[in-house]
Amino acid sequence: MSKSPKVPQIYKFPPLYTPQTNKLIRKQQLQTWESIILQICSQLSKWCISKNGKIYDPNSGELIISLFENDEIQRSCSQEFQQEIWNYMLQNGTALQLKDSEDSTLMAIFWESLDSWSSTILEWCESTGKLNQVITIYEICESDENINCKFYGMPSSFCLLVLQRLVDRNRATLLKDQGKVVGVKIV
């Protein structure tokens, strides 16, 4: 059985699902949707979700939640409104459309900022003695030794964005082979 997320009370408020005409209310509505999406993805440790808001259990294939549909109150967001929510999140840098994936309808969700993730990975390197060593993206994101780290399972494309923040801070060097990142050295 999959883990059900705890949704905020506002998720059961019917007007949330209909775009409001007042500009101030509409902005608050978009902020609320952004908050709901970030909160649920954080709870479920989901890095990517489909643009239609459906989140599935990767093990069972069972639907965990359809963010833009609430059967309990029989409400759903139109596709146009869903796109407006995604556009709002894209502008805020809390979502990124994954174009390099097989499924271009996937959205990467930044439930923590890239700077926060880069600090977390830097702290992990410091605490595990990995500073000044060459490590792979796989080792960071998928190694069994990191199964209890909050960045465990992070997609490699997302990890590269995080590591670029460390490069920008002169704390890391990306090692490439034929233009592809094969490792990183964090100092």
Side-chain angles (χ1 to χ4, degrees):
M1 182 151 167
S2 60
K3 174 180 163 184
S4 294
K6 182 175 174 20
V7 295
Q9 195 61 34
I10 190 78
Y11 189 70
K12 297 176 184 175
F13 186 56
L16 180 67
Y17 296 83
T18 305
Q20 302 301 305
T21 55
N22 179 290
K23 286 184 181 187
L24 179 60
I25 302 296
R26 178 76 143 265
K27 184 176 180 184
Q28 291 172 337
Q29 187 180 25
L30 293 170
Q31 289 170 339
T32 300
W33 272 112
E34 177 182 52
S35 176
I36 289 168
I37 291 167
L38 296 176
Q39 177 185 338
I40 290 173
C41 286
S42 175
Q43 284 179 43
L44 297 173
S45 295
K46 292 293 181 184
W47 306 95
C48 300
I49 63 173
S50 63
K51 282 183 80 175
N52 65 8
K54 294 185 187 306
I55 300 176
Y56 294 92
D57 182 307
N59 299 319
S60 68
E62 176 184 337
L63 179 66
I64 298 172
I65 188 169
S66 183
L67 288 171
F68 298 125
E69 298 173 6
N70 189 329
D71 291 337
E72 187 178 333
I73 60 169
Q74 297 180 359
R75 292 290 180 145
S76 63
C77 295
S78 68
Q79 283 189 319
E80 294 81 18
F81 190 42
Q82 290 174 35
Q83 187 58 52
E84 186 176 349
I85 293 165
W86 289 126
N87 288 342
Y88 180 81
M89 292 183 68
L90 289 166
Q91 281 181 322
N92 288 341
T94 53
L96 175 72
Q97 183 156 5
L98 296 177
K99 294 179 172 75
D100 61 334
S101 68
E102 291 176 19
D103 182 359
S104 63
T105 65
L106 282 180
M107 301 295 285
I109 305 299
F110 301 109
W111 33 279
E112 286 195 23
S113 71
L114 291 175
D115 288 330
S116 176
W117 283 118
S118 66
S119 294
T120 299
I121 289 177
L122 180 60
E123 289 169 15
W124 168 77
C125 282
E126 291 169 345
S127 68
T128 59
K130 304 254 188 231
L131 286 180
N132 296 310
Q133 293 182 18
V134 175
I135 51 178
T136 64
I137 305 303
Y138 177 87
E139 191 176 347
I140 295 170
C141 302
E142 298 181 47
S143 172
D144 288 344
E145 75 180 66
N146 297 336
I147 202 160
N148 293 320
C149 295
K150 66 181 184 174
F151 53 81
Y152 179 79
M154 180 184 286
S156 58
S157 57
F158 189 101
C159 187
L160 290 172
L161 293 172
V162 171
L163 293 173
Q164 186 59 51
R165 293 297 172 114
L166 291 174
V167 170
D168 295 345
R169 291 169 34 196
N170 296 318
R171 293 299 312 261
T173 302
L174 297 177
L175 307 169
K176 297 180 181 181
D177 184 26
Q178 298 179 353
K180 183 178 180 191
V181 175
V182 294
V184 63
K185 184 176 181 180
I186 300 174
V187 295

